Every structure is written in C-alpha cells, then in structure tokens.
Amino acid sequence: MYIESIKLKKFRNYSNQVVNFKNGMNLILGENGIGKTNLLESIYLLSTTRSHRNDDEKDMIGFNEEFASVEGIVISKNGRDRLNVILHKKGKTLALNNTLVKRNSEFIGKLNAVIFSPSEMNLFDDSPRERRKLIDMEIGKLSSGYMYNLSNYLKSLKQRNAYLKQGNDKIMLDTYTEMIYEPQIKIIKERNSFINALNAYLSYFYNEISGSENELKMVYKSFIKEKNDEKVMLEEIKETYDRMLERDILLKQTNIGIHREDYEFYLNNINVSKYCSQGQKRMVILALKLSLVQIIYQIKREYPILLLDDVFSELDSNHRVCLLKLLPNTIQTIITTTDLREVSSVKKQNINIINITKGDISNGN
C-alpha cells in the first residue's frame, strides 16, 4: 500500500497544494515550523479520520477559513481509491471514490498509516486514556468488530452512568449493568490478543535500534484476570461489578471497566515510565511503531505507510543508522527532517525529496 498523491485545500498553512509521493522513501525537507508536520497530519487524517496532535478538528482548518479539504489517491492490493475528508465548523464529511461515507468504520483502514511523532514521548506520563486511545485506534484499523463493540459499550456505559445519577431501582440498574458485560468480554479478548502480538516483535526491534540485548514488553492492565475463557470472564466481571456496586451508587458513576484499563511498558522488567531515559523511551516508541507495521502486514498481507516526524532529533548517529537499516524498500516511508544528510548517507536508493518553504511544496529527487 502507498499514497500516490495528496491534495490540500485550506488545510493548516496550505491554501491549495498537491504533493506527489513515490512508493519507497520520501523525505520532507524544510526548516522547523514551516509545515512539515502538517503534511504528515493530513495523511494520518485520511487513515484515521482524526489528527494525531489534538482532538479539536477545527484546528486543522486554515485561519479564517470555513472548511478544509484533504484528498488522497491510495494504491493497494485492492486497487486505486480516492479518499476525501472535508472538515467544517460542525464536523467532517467523508467520501470514498466520490461517494459519501456515513460511518467512520467504512472509511478507516482504506489507507493504513503508522505514525511516529515527538509528541508521543508523553505517552508514558500521560493519563491511561491516551494509551487506551492509541491501542483502540490501532486495533480499530484492523477490526471493524472491535470498534462496533467499543461503540456499543460506551453507549451502554453512558446509560448506566445516567441512571446511577438519578435512579435507585435495583432491577433497572441490573439491566443496565448486564448490557455492558458482553461487549467488554469481546474487547478484552481483542486487546489481549493484540498486546500478545506486539510482544512478539517489541524486543527484536528495540534491540536492532539500540544495538544491545534487552527484553521489552507491554503489559495489559485489565480489570479482570482471565482474558481467554469467555465463561470464566463473565463470572469474574459479574463478581467485580457486584463488589463495586455500593461504590458506584455512592459516587454515581461506573468506577471499573474497560474504560479505566491501562497499558505499561517494561524494559528488562523495569517500568519504562519511571526509570528509563528520554533516549530509551524514544527507542521504545520506535520499536512499538515498527511492531505495529509488522502486525498490520501479518493481518492485511500488505505493508502500511510509515510516517516518521522529526525522528532523528534525539538519536545519535549510530542509532539513526540502525533505524534506517530497519526500513525495507517495500514500505512507503515518509520522513520529515531539516537535514538531508541524516538519510542520504545510509539509504543509497533513489529518495523522493519534497521541499517545503513557507507553505509552498515542490517535489524533487
């Protein structure tokens, strides 16, 4: 899979631009603050229908503009698709091959992209919500059933919380509680399977980047112990909610469930968030992203697009070389940088160079 071209209208600092990409390595070259990250953001928007930078979609609309449009041509094993996202003050409109798409799930995954961003260095110190959001999005790109179950759970959770604030009938509360059992079982199973798949790759990629032998793993902190046997899971969930009932009634909210779960990283059995350096954390994130690429290939049988934003800034030359050698020519990679020498000294094949100056984009070689 690769993106052939992207057309931007009134998106961030781009008034009207078309960018062409090659299926291989693409280098976005320009000074800091010139709009390199905005270009990657537009590609990620086509992949997930959202920004990787913040939750307010209106921020992507150009200053004093009423709307923004991002249109991309994507080539995959299924053929050639035209994806379009139009952002406006009241939300967004999605189109696939010039036909409007009503549900995000019908659009997400048509362009599969994995992004590394310096802002993700906060992943370890952010709230559990941010880590859940990352994993939910990655699973959702691969499983429409997961997003369906998650949507059902959140809808039922909202109803239960609303009743806890105003109702006191036990039978009615039990009904709302039972509605959140089944989707949680399915979600926990998929989350657990996904984390196990990640752990099959994490140590390998971390060691290849770092040049040393380590064990890196991600731990899924579920609110129940069992994650495979659905009958046992259901019994454990019921016991947990029965135990938490008085607390839920007192606080008038649901205090346990998949919406409160978390994920932790451990490097050689040491908690990454507490004890690792910034350099180690950056390599953990990179290992995570490269592992995601492999999982997507394993399931979809084609590689996603890899977006690397300012990936070299805190890596020394040895680690840069190790990272670049891990990027096969079969993956379309789009990298932002201020210095061409960071890449050209290692990658000998033809690189598509995209120069950016003050919102203007020009392709070169």
Side-chain angles (χ1 to χ4, degrees), residues 139-202:
I139 300 176
K141 288 191 292 188
L142 298 170
S143 169
S144 58
Y146 181 84
M147 298 308 290
Y148 175 80
N149 288 319
L150 184 60
S151 177
N152 279 351
Y153 170 75
L154 293 175
K155 180 180 178 180
S156 299
L157 177 68
K158 185 177 180 180
Q159 292 174 331
R160 186 178 192 266
N161 284 339
Y163 192 78
L164 282 166
K165 287 179 171 62
Q166 61 185 18
N168 55 17
D169 183 85
K170 186 179 185 304
I171 295 177
M172 196 65 193
L173 181 57
D174 285 346
T175 300
Y176 282 122
T177 305
E178 288 173 5
M179 289 171 62
I180 61 177
Y181 289 162
E182 189 64 26
Q184 289 194 97
I185 289 173
K186 296 183 182 302
I187 289 165
I188 290 169
K189 289 186 70 175
E190 285 211 67
R191 284 181 177 178
N192 186 58
S193 176
F194 189 74
I195 298 306
N196 287 339
L198 278 176
N199 282 328
Y201 294 104
L202 283 174

Side-chain angles (χ1 to χ4, degrees), residues 57-273:
E57 295 171 348
K58 293 191 293 294
D59 289 347
M60 291 182 280
I61 301 174
F63 184 68
N64 279 341
E65 300 289 356
E66 293 298 316
F67 76 95
S69 172
V70 177
E71 182 180 284
I73 303 297
V74 179
I75 310 298
S76 71
K77 65 180 182 181
N78 297 319
R80 189 174 187 266
D81 288 313
R82 184 185 300 273
L83 307 179
N84 189 223
V85 177
I86 300 174
L87 304 166
H88 37 83
K89 302 297 183 182
K90 294 184 179 180
K92 62 193 168 196
T93 302
L94 307 176
L96 174 61
N97 296 321
N98 300 319
T99 301
L100 292 180
V101 173
K102 293 183 179 181
R103 287 183 290 189
N104 286 10
S105 59
E106 298 174 17
F107 190 92
I108 293 173
K110 296 297 182 182
L111 186 163
N112 226 321
V114 173
I115 190 167
F116 168 85
S117 169
S119 63
E120 291 179 296
M121 292 296 292
N122 297 323
L123 181 68
F124 307 102
D125 301 318
D126 273 338
S127 68
R129 177 178 177 272
E130 296 304 313
R131 290 183 285 278
R132 285 196 305 272
K133 189 162 68 173
L134 170 66
I135 297 301
D136 287 343
M137 177 55 68
E138 294 302 335
I139 300 176
K141 288 191 292 188
L142 298 170
S143 169
S144 58
Y146 181 84
M147 298 308 290
Y148 175 80
N149 288 319
L150 184 60
S151 177
N152 279 351
Y153 170 75
L154 293 175
K155 180 180 178 180
S156 299
L157 177 68
K158 185 177 180 180
Q159 292 174 331
R160 186 178 192 266
N161 284 339
Y163 192 78
L164 282 166
K165 287 179 171 62
Q166 61 185 18
N168 55 17
D169 183 85
K170 186 179 185 304
I171 295 177
M172 196 65 193
L173 181 57
D174 285 346
T175 300
Y176 282 122
T177 305
E178 288 173 5
M179 289 171 62
I180 61 177
Y181 289 162
E182 189 64 26
Q184 289 194 97
I185 289 173
K186 296 183 182 302
I187 289 165
I188 290 169
K189 289 186 70 175
E190 285 211 67
R191 284 181 177 178
N192 186 58
S193 176
F194 189 74
I195 298 306
N196 287 339
L198 278 176
N199 282 328
Y201 294 104
L202 283 174
S203 292
Y204 167 76
F205 283 116
Y206 185 89
N207 292 340
E208 288 296 306
I209 298 169
S210 67
S212 58
E213 287 296 319
N214 302 273
E215 181 191 26
L216 175 62
K217 63 181 178 181
M218 196 173 183
V219 176
Y220 173 28
K221 310 287 285 187
S222 176
F223 77 101
I224 61 172
K225 292 181 179 179
E226 179 59 43
K227 300 180 185 67
N228 294 301
D229 189 311
E230 293 192 9
K231 184 177 179 180
V232 177
M233 291 171 72
L234 179 59
E235 292 174 357
E236 191 176 346
I237 289 174
K238 286 181 177 180
E239 290 173 3
T240 302
Y241 279 95
D242 287 343
R243 189 173 66 252
M244 294 292 292
L245 183 59
E246 288 187 14
R247 181 175 173 82
D248 286 354
I249 292 173
L250 177 65
L251 297 178
K252 300 185 184 301
Q253 67 176 5
T254 306
N255 291 281
I256 199 163
I258 59 161
H259 64 292
R260 294 289 184 91
E261 293 183 329
D262 199 1
Y263 306 90
E264 292 179 347
F265 291 88
Y266 287 86
L267 183 62
N268 300 325
N269 295 318
I270 295 174
N271 192 308
V272 170
S273 66

Side-chain angles (χ1 to χ4, degrees), residues 13-28:
N13 64 321
Y14 298 111
S15 57
N16 192 352
Q17 293 284 341
V18 176
V19 188
N20 298 308
F21 300 95
K22 290 185 178 179
N23 185 16
M25 180 165 286
N26 299 263
L27 196 68
I28 301 173

